[in-house]
């Protein structure tokens, strides 16, 4: 086969006719455009079928994505009659039909894959919900253990993002040290939250003094000191940049998954509502953003919503916001009827003194079922109306002084609004991390959903906000003998005598 020179490859053929034979043109067509099938057509086959200048012109046209057959002038100047031209055109028509069939098959295959993906996602979503409800039935301690397990998986997936096998082999103890940092952070964050919860609820008799907190702080700092010293000692010349980068990445991960979830224990033990309800708002927002985006995406606003996630649309974001608000208003009122969700762990305990029985799965659920009518949840769950502030009453000229809904429903609207407007940006942050490191999902643990991080990206900041909202607007500081006595001792003598006189009158009555 003769070798084509650079001059032959770059030769320009006038519009009016062909200067070379059909074979040369066909060869030139293949060299420039390849087979038409590679560019979405069958031009090379059409050019070969004609066997002349017109056929070569047709092949070149398909290789470039053109219309197929060569021009009539080209056919005439090369001495080709119209029968050959019609043959070439017919061949190209067959190519068009074959291409359309391929497109139809590809479209059908894409639809089947999308349908299969949706079925997989829905199936495993239902399985995850069943598992979650089972753990929720087991009780508050088991939900807390579930969150700890989720944190372990989050840390595992996120540290793997920057994993480089060649560098890891040269770095001494770095994986061990990463997990040591994680354990030390978990020990202090959850230990501190649990001790404070036990102190406030007078559980396990730890509120006699502050020794448990002191011991926790000292032991946590001791662990931190050991990990810190060993980390510095393992730094090696030539690896400083990589090791420091990995250490910084580890600290960022700990802030995201341990720092934000430090408050999850108070949320859970204050009532399962404060964990379950915010999580449901995130799930509904995620689902409705997908539904609204698929049905109305880019029909009203053409501009992309966010460059980090090109598939996100303004219609999906706004539609999910209103759907989540409706869900939050209704679902908060629905859950307020069940003491198991609204009562704290302290209220659902079988006795005032701690027994190991209350750690058995389903104990608190049984107590809520048996003693639910006698329990007194917080008034935000039971009050049938909300009293309007005086300013609003004046503005409304006294027409309305109350709103016929429970206070928790208004709190639910605020929490749902945060879950729709702010929490999704946690997911956008994780999308940016995935794009930065060229990965589609953080893991493949959950078929159709990716990894745990792909499902929990928006939940992290939502848990933190729920704690802030509860502590600011709902929580009442519990009073006990120790708190009152400490306050009385700190008063002046005159104030103490006044309290003594008032107590004497009160007791005398």
């Amino acid at each position: 086969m003769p070798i084509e020179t650079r001059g032959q490859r770059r030769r320009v053929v006038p519009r009016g006719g062909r200067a070379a034979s059909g074979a040369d043109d066909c060869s030139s067509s293949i060299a420039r455009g390849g087979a038409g099938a590679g560019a979405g057509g069958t031009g090379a086959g059409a050019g070969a079928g004609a066997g002349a200048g017109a056929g070569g012109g047709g092949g070149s046209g398909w290789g470039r994505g053109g219309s197929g057959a060569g021009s009539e002038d080209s056919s005439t100047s090369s001495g080709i009659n119209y029968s050959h031209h019609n043959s070439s055109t017919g061949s190209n028509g067959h190519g068009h039909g074959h291409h359309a069939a391929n497109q139809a098959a590809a479209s059908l295959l894409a639809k089947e894959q999308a349908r299969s993906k949706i079925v997989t996602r829905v199936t495993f979503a239902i399985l995850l919900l069943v598992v979650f409800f089972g753990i929720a039935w087991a009780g508050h301690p088991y939900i807390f253990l579930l969150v700890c397990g989720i944190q372990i998986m989050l840390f595992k997936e996120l540290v793997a993002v920057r994993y480089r096998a060649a560098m890891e082999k040269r770095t001494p103890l770095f994986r061990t040290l990463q997990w040591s940092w994680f354990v030390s952070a978990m020990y202090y964050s959850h230990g501190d939250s649990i001790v404070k919860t036990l102190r406030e609820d007078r559980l396990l008799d730890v509120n006699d003094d502050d020794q448990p907190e002191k011991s926790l702080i000292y032991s946590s700092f001791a662990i931190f000191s050991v990990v810190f010293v060993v980390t510095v000692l393992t730094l090696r010349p030539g690896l400083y940049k990589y090791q420091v980068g990995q250490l910084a990445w580890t600290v960022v991960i700990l802030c995201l998954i341990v720092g934000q979830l430090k408050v999850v224990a108070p949320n859970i033990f204050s009532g399962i509502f404060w964990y379950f309800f915010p999580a449901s708002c995130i799930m509904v927002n995620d689902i409705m953003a997908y539904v609204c985006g698929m049905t109305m995406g880019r029909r009203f606003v053409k501009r992309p919503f966010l460059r980090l996630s090109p598939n996100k649309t303004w219609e999906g974001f706004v539609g999910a916001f209103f759907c989540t608000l409706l869900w939050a208003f209704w679902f908060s009122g629905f859950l307020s009827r069940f003491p198991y969700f609204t009562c704290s762990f302290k209220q659902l305990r079988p006795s005032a003194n701690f027994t190991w029985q209350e750690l058995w799965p389903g104990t608190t659920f049984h107590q809520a079922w048996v003693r639910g009518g006698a329990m007194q949840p917080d008034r935000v769950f039971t009050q049938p109306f909300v009293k309007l502030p005086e300013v609003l009453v004046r503005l409304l000229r006294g027409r309305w002084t109350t709103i016929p809904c429970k206070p928790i429903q208004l709190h639910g609207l605020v929490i749902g609004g945060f879950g729709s407007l702010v929490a999704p940006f946690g997911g956008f942050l994780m999308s940016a991390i995935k794009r930065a490191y060229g990965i589609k999902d953080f893991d493949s643990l959950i078929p159709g959903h990716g990894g745990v991080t792909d499902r929990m990206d928006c939940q992290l900041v939502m848990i933190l906000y729920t704690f802030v909202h509860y502590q600011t607007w709902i929580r009442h500081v519990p009073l006990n003998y120790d708190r009152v006595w400490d306050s009385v001792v700190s008063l002046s003598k005159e104030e103490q005598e006044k309290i003594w006189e008032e107590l004497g009158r009160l007791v005398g009555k």
Side-chain angles (χ1 to χ4, degrees):
M1 180 176 179
I3 301 176
E4 192 177 37
T5 64
R6 181 178 300 180
Q8 290 174 319
R9 287 198 302 270
R10 299 183 60 183
R11 181 177 54 190
V12 179
V13 180
R15 282 179 170 265
R18 291 281 182 180
S21 66
D24 288 336
D25 282 352
C26 189
S27 171
S28 177
S29 172
I30 295 174
R32 286 193 306 268
T42 55
S60 177
W62 278 99
R64 296 175 179 266
S67 60
S71 65
E72 184 178 349
D73 293 338
S74 172
S75 301
T76 305
S77 63
S78 301
I80 305 299
N81 58 22
Y82 286 101
S83 64
H84 287 86
H85 178 69
N86 293 336
S87 175
S88 175
T89 305
S91 178
N92 288 330
H94 175 72
H96 273 297
H98 184 63
H99 177 58
N102 287 341
Q103 284 185 330
S107 177
L108 181 61
L109 179 61
K111 290 181 180 179
E112 289 294 332
Q113 290 176 344
R115 188 180 297 109
S116 175
K117 184 178 180 180
I118 292 175
V119 171
T120 302
R121 287 174 65 91
V122 171
T123 301
F124 278 88
I126 294 174
L127 290 177
L128 289 175
L129 286 176
V130 170
V131 172
F132 176 78
F133 278 114
I135 296 175
W137 165 85
H140 303 67
Y142 294 91
I143 299 177
F144 173 71
L145 292 177
L146 169 66
V147 175
C148 292
I150 290 174
Q151 286 181 281
I152 294 173
M153 297 305 301
L154 289 172
F155 185 78
K156 173 181 174 295
E157 292 176 1
L158 287 172
V159 295
V161 169
R162 288 172 58 94
Y163 179 77
R164 293 170 59 184
M167 299 296 290
E168 296 291 339
K169 292 178 181 178
R170 299 168 56 192
T171 307
L173 298 177
F174 200 85
R175 281 292 175 190
T176 303
L177 288 173
Q178 278 186 319
W179 283 99
S180 299
W181 282 109
F182 175 73
V183 170
S184 62
M186 291 279 287
Y187 174 74
Y188 172 72
S189 64
H190 288 317
D192 182 63
S193 298
I194 291 174
V195 168
K196 288 181 179 178
T197 301
L198 296 177
R199 175 183 297 282
E200 292 179 356
D201 292 344
R202 299 180 63 86
L203 301 175
L204 301 180
D205 297 326
V206 299
N207 57 337
D208 296 332
D209 54 38
D210 57 353
Q211 188 58 43
E213 292 179 352
K214 292 179 179 179
S215 301
L216 174 68
I217 294 173
Y218 195 87
S219 58
S220 299
F221 188 78
I223 297 173
F224 164 79
S225 299
V226 172
V227 177
F228 174 73
V229 170
V230 176
T231 300
V232 176
L233 291 176
T234 56
L235 297 176
R236 293 291 183 269
L239 299 175
Y240 292 148
K241 185 176 181 180
Y242 177 74
Q243 288 180 290
V244 172
Q246 289 286 65
L247 178 61
W249 178 240
T250 303
V251 173
V252 170
I253 294 173
L254 294 179
C255 291
L256 290 174
I257 68 173
V258 180
Q260 291 188 114
L261 296 187
K262 180 181 185 294
V263 300
V264 72
N267 286 0
I268 294 172
F269 288 100
S270 296
I272 295 179
F273 176 92
W274 302 109
Y275 179 78
F276 184 72
F277 172 73
S280 71
C281 289
I282 293 296
M283 289 187 287
V284 169
N285 183 261
D286 191 21
I287 294 172
M288 296 313 299
Y290 176 79
V291 173
C292 295
M294 289 292 293
T295 55
M296 299 183 294
R298 294 189 173 86
R299 292 188 179 182
F300 303 99
V301 182
K302 302 297 183 181
R303 183 178 179 181
F305 175 70
L306 197 67
R307 292 182 180 180
L308 287 175
S309 298
N311 293 330
K312 307 294 183 182
T313 62
W314 282 99
E315 291 83 355
F317 185 78
V318 175
F321 170 74
F322 288 105
C323 292
T324 305
L325 290 184
L326 292 175
W327 167 265
F329 186 82
W330 173 81
F331 196 55
S332 58
F334 175 76
L335 290 180
S336 66
R337 299 184 294 175
F338 302 98
Y340 183 66
F341 288 96
T342 59
C343 293
S344 65
F345 178 66
K346 178 183 178 181
Q347 293 174 293
L348 294 173
R349 295 174 65 202
S351 62
N353 298 321
F354 172 77
T355 60
W356 291 104
Q357 177 189 357
E358 62 192 59
L359 297 181
W360 284 99
T363 299
T364 52
F365 182 83
H366 176 72
Q367 293 296 319
W369 182 270
V370 174
R371 301 189 294 116
M375 293 182 178
Q376 294 296 327
D378 193 283
R379 62 176 179 269
V380 298
F381 296 104
T382 57
Q383 187 173 316
F385 61 88
V386 177
K387 187 176 180 180
L388 293 176
E390 292 295 333
V391 177
L392 290 179
V393 173
R394 293 195 200 98
L395 291 175
L396 297 173
R397 298 180 180 180
R399 295 178 181 176
W400 292 284
T401 59
T402 60
I403 300 177
C405 68
K406 295 181 179 180
I408 191 60
Q409 292 180 283
L410 298 186
H411 288 287
L413 286 177
V414 177
I415 295 174
F418 182 90
S420 301
L421 298 177
V422 180
F425 284 84
F428 300 151
L429 174 61
M430 294 303 171
S431 297
I433 293 174
K434 289 189 288 187
R435 290 182 180 277
Y437 292 96
I439 57 177
K440 182 181 179 182
D441 295 318
F442 285 98
D443 204 341
S444 57
L445 179 66
I446 310 174
H449 295 268
V452 176
T453 310
D454 297 289
R455 294 296 91 206
M456 291 293 296
D457 47 10
C458 300
Q459 298 281 3
L460 303 178
V461 69
M462 188 65 169
I463 291 173
L464 180 59
Y465 173 73
T466 302
F467 173 81
V468 173
H469 185 92
Y470 177 81
Q471 296 292 323
T472 304
W473 305 109
I474 296 175
R475 175 178 175 266
H476 307 287
V477 179
L479 294 178
N480 52 48
Y481 173 82
D482 298 305
R483 288 181 181 273
V484 174
W485 179 254
D486 291 339
S487 300
V488 171
V489 171
S490 63
L491 297 175
S492 64
K493 185 176 180 180
E494 291 77 10
E495 292 173 326
Q496 292 175 353
E497 291 176 352
K498 186 176 181 180
I499 291 177
W500 178 263
E501 294 174 359
E502 294 294 335
L503 284 175
R505 295 193 191 98
L506 181 63
V507 174
K509 292 180 181 180

